[in-house]
Amino acid sequence: MNGKKRLSAAAAALVCVLAFAATAFAGSLAGRQAKGLRNYEPYTAVQMKRAGINPADAEPLLEKGLAASPDFPPVYFQLARESLRHLPDGFSKWVYYSVEGIRAYGRNWWWSLSLSGLVTASLAASFVGSLLLTVLLRLPREFPLLKHDTEENPLHLFVWLGMLVISVFFGAAFFLGTLLMLLGLYFGKRDRLLVYLALAALVFLPAASGWLKALSSDSSTELRAVTAVNEARGDSLALSALANSTDFEGAFSYGLALKREGRLNNAVSAFSTALRNSGGKDTRAYVDLANCYQLLGNSSSAQQLYESSIAIRPNAEAFYNLALLNRKKFNFEKGDELFKQALKLAPGKVSAFSSYAEGAPDAPMDSTLGFNDFYRLLLGPHRIAWMAPQSYAAILWMLVFAFYARAGKLKAFRCSRCGKVLCYGCEGETYWGRMCGDCYRSLVKLEALDPKERVSRLLKIHGYQLKRGGLIRALSFAPPGIAYIYAGNVLQGMLMLWVFLFAVGLLVLNPLFTTGLSLMDHGWLDYAAWGTAAILYLVSFAGIRRRQGKGWL
């Protein structure tokens, strides 16, 4: 009982602390909004924690958090979960918040960066894992065929060994891809497509590795400051970190932070530097420099800069701010015409800003940097090799595989009935159904064997088929695709296995790709990953059992 009382007291204390923090944040929220800062993630994170502790008040608390940070994906997904408490009426809200949460990734660079890193890492890891399992499953089946052909023609042995030795220098994934290529020479015509797909994936694997390396490196203070300013999350870091910046992104973001703090003359200097660094061709620098002049009361300079921006590239911000200038001069007809042009170019952006700026109707719309600029800053110290030596080697391997696959240089195969390894040269005759001579005489040409020999052969065939069928049945309980790969449906099996391992990778790696002050991860992906994995498992299990029941495996 004492333990329960202590737990209740701790929970109450936590609620009080969170409530105090929320009140303190709310006090500064109005001031932030007046500066044009539309995302206050610490405040939203506090509201989300309070909602988790107080389920009865969860929805209004989360709505407050959403109003403070409309570009924060986790709050949408928590609202979506809360909507499911009120089914069936809450279903439409669940759909709305889920869609808006996904759309919020397009407005929040750090969250989209984290998501892209999670997806890339999961794809790469699942590809290597499915490649490894495919090679391990098919090696006992195809290696005896490869051995038989190299004994028949030793020249093949030198080619294969040379390729395997060379592949070691390109890494484990490339070595596995080379092994799959050698085994794939004995796949069916359709399953050989898998080898081309695997080698094509190896072409782009260096780029994926470079991308993950860039993500795992510590992001610079400049990058964090630039993104915080341009995504309207805060100016303090930019004011301290970008004061001496001379590159375009840094000077532009510093000017934006100065403008929001009311230091307009300093902002004019920063935007002028950014404009010079862009070669006088960046429309965003023109617009924000013009905004500073408009707030300083220099309407003629502002109008000239807006028109220069439109001359380079028509943009919604310049049209919107020109409309604002004309309305201030009581030229409402011209102002309405310019506003319609802004609305036509970017209806969502203009509508959102108009709604957000209701408290300050005379505030001009700022231009900001976008994802491409952030990626350029992120990748600046890192060079991603889209076509590395490994990529060219994978393309060469494709050509070698195509030559051997089409030229029919390899002759070994397994008897479809007893599994014996043979070739047309050894057998001396081609039998129907890719059977060895003994099985053909036992099952088709019955008069060629006496009854005892025939019965002995039939028992051997039955034992082989029984053992193979039992192993496939046991593998049907393994992860999806494994039984298909072993049974010979390699293409279908590896694709199923790759998707399954990708879903598992999302579940395992998700906690490693956290972001924000609250260290939240992409929790909504867990539901999709669990669902995908479960559906694939059931489909694979049912498919194997159905095919065995019909005698196809």
Side-chain angles (χ1 to χ4, degrees):
M1 194 68 180
N2 291 334
K4 290 184 178 179
K5 287 182 178 179
R6 283 196 295 270
L7 188 61
S8 301
L14 181 59
V15 171
C16 291
V17 170
L18 290 175
F20 176 78
T23 304
F25 283 137
S28 59
L29 188 57
R32 289 174 57 86
Q33 290 175 338
K35 294 177 182 178
L37 298 173
R38 64 192 299 262
N39 289 289
Y40 202 7
E41 292 180 6
Y43 174 82
T44 304
V46 169
Q47 297 293 6
M48 291 173 69
K49 290 185 181 295
R50 291 182 67 196
I53 296 171
N54 299 297
D57 300 327
E59 197 164 342
L61 290 171
L62 291 172
E63 290 288 356
K64 287 182 181 178
L66 178 61
S69 299
D71 300 337
F72 193 48
V75 70
Y76 287 99
F77 294 113
Q78 192 165 339
L79 274 165
R81 288 197 298 273
E82 288 299 323
S83 301
L84 292 177
R85 296 176 183 269
H86 309 291
L87 291 175
D89 297 337
F91 180 75
S92 59
K93 280 190 173 182
W94 175 81
V95 172
Y96 170 76
Y97 286 126
S98 298
V99 171
E100 288 301 312
I102 293 171
R103 291 179 63 187
Y105 277 94
R107 305 189 300 269
N108 193 313
W109 187 71
W110 285 108
W111 277 87
S112 69
L113 183 71
S114 172
L115 181 62
S116 66
L118 173 60
V119 170
T120 304
S122 300
L123 277 174
S126 60
F127 166 69
V128 175
S130 59
L131 197 61
L132 174 62
L133 289 172
T134 302
V135 167
L136 291 176
L137 286 165
R138 293 309 303 179
L139 192 59
R141 301 286 299 170
E142 262 63 81
F143 181 75
L145 307 180
L146 194 64
K147 180 174 176 289
H148 187 93
D149 273 324
T150 53
E151 288 173 351
E152 293 288 323
N153 186 352
L155 179 62
H156 295 316
L157 179 62
F158 292 107
V159 175
W160 305 147
L161 283 178
M163 294 180 73
L164 285 171
V165 170
I166 293 171
S167 68
V168 170
F169 295 98
F170 295 114
F174 198 85
F175 178 76
L176 289 173
T178 305
L179 271 177
L180 180 67
M181 189 198 77
L182 299 183
L183 302 177
L185 292 169
Y186 299 95
F187 290 172
K189 195 170 185 179
R190 188 189 68 165
D191 290 326
R192 287 176 187 168
L193 178 62
L194 173 64
V195 179
Y196 293 110
L197 292 175
L199 292 175
L202 288 173
V203 170
F204 297 104
L205 196 60
S209 301
W211 172 239
L212 289 173
K213 184 178 179 182
L215 290 180
S216 62
S217 63
D218 292 332
S219 300
S220 66
T221 304
E222 179 187 9
L223 176 58
R224 293 190 174 276
V226 167
T227 54
V229 170
N230 287 278
E231 293 189 341
R233 286 186 282 110
D235 298 328
S236 57
L237 184 59
L239 292 173
S240 60
L242 303 177
N244 299 318
S245 182
T246 55
D247 59 88
F248 169 74
E249 292 85 3
F252 179 90
S253 302
Y254 183 56
L256 192 56
L258 290 169
K259 173 188 168 295
R260 286 176 180 159
E261 294 298 318
R263 296 160 60 181
L264 297 176
N265 289 316
N266 292 334
V268 167
S269 176
F271 283 128
S272 299
T273 300
L275 192 57
R276 283 195 303 273
N277 290 342
S278 72
K281 296 179 180 180
D282 194 277
T283 60
R284 297 166 297 186
Y286 277 106
V287 169
D288 286 358
L289 180 58
N291 289 347
C292 292
Y293 281 125
Q294 183 180 162
L295 293 172
L296 286 168
N298 190 344
S299 299
S300 59
S301 295
Q303 181 169 343
Q304 184 179 354
L305 288 167
Y306 290 137
E307 290 171 351
S308 298
S309 174
I310 292 170
I312 296 172
R313 180 182 60 83
N315 59 91
E317 294 88 350
F319 279 117
Y320 181 92
N321 295 329
L322 271 176
L324 196 65
L325 271 181
N326 279 274
R327 286 170 176 171
K328 286 180 180 178
K329 297 175 182 177
F330 303 104
N331 190 352
F332 296 108
E333 185 177 348
K334 181 65 173 176
D336 291 342
E337 180 185 339
L338 290 166
F339 180 79
K340 288 177 182 177
Q341 288 180 279
L343 202 59
K344 184 178 179 181
L345 286 171
K349 182 186 290 187
V350 172
S351 299
F353 182 79
S354 299
S355 174
Y356 189 78
E358 284 181 358
D362 294 335
M365 183 191 297
D366 290 326
S367 280
T368 55
L369 302 182
F371 280 22
N372 289 338
D373 304 285
F374 304 153
Y375 281 120
R376 192 160 49 248
L377 281 174
L378 173 70
L379 299 176
H382 307 279
R383 182 179 176 273
I384 293 182
W386 293 101
M387 290 295 285
Q390 175 178 309
S391 305
Y392 295 109
I395 294 171
L396 177 61
W397 269 215
M398 284 188 202
L399 297 175
V400 172
F401 179 77
F403 170 75
Y404 274 92
R406 291 184 66 86
K409 297 286 184 181
L410 304 175
K411 305 295 185 182
F413 64 94
R414 281 184 181 274
C415 173
S416 60
R417 298 299 177 178
C418 68
K420 177 184 176 182
V421 176
L422 64 154
C423 71
Y424 297 126
C426 300
E427 197 67 15
E429 186 179 353
T430 303
Y431 295 105
W432 173 81
R434 293 177 71 86
M435 287 189 283
C436 65
D438 292 336
C439 290
Y440 180 79
R441 286 186 289 272
S442 300
L443 297 172
V444 181
K445 198 174 181 182
L446 304 180
E447 68 276 9
L449 289 177
D450 63 62
K452 287 185 179 180
E453 289 182 29
R454 183 170 175 269
V455 169
S456 175
R457 170 59 56 176
L458 290 175
L459 288 173
K460 184 177 181 180
I461 292 171
H462 178 71
Y464 171 77
Q465 296 293 343
L466 194 64
K467 181 180 178 182
R468 182 174 180 274
L471 187 53
I472 292 174
R473 204 159 34 250
L475 290 175
S476 67
F477 293 96
I482 284 183
Y484 283 90
I485 294 170
Y486 178 81
N489 296 331
V490 188
L491 176 62
Q492 182 181 359
M494 184 174 172
L495 291 178
M496 292 179 72
L497 182 61
W498 192 355
V499 175
F500 177 79
L501 292 181
F502 172 66
V504 173
L506 291 177
L507 291 168
V508 173
L509 297 176
N510 196 359
L512 302 179
F513 286 84
T514 56
T515 187
L517 295 174
S518 54
L519 296 180
M520 298 174 184
D521 59 23
H522 311 275
W524 63 275
L525 269 180
D526 291 349
Y527 300 101
W530 276 114
T532 301
I535 291 170
L536 267 176
Y537 187 88
L538 294 174
V539 168
S540 176
F541 181 82
I544 288 293
R545 291 308 178 92
R546 177 173 172 271
R547 292 182 181 212
Q548 282 198 314
K550 291 183 176 290
W552 297 344
L553 290 178

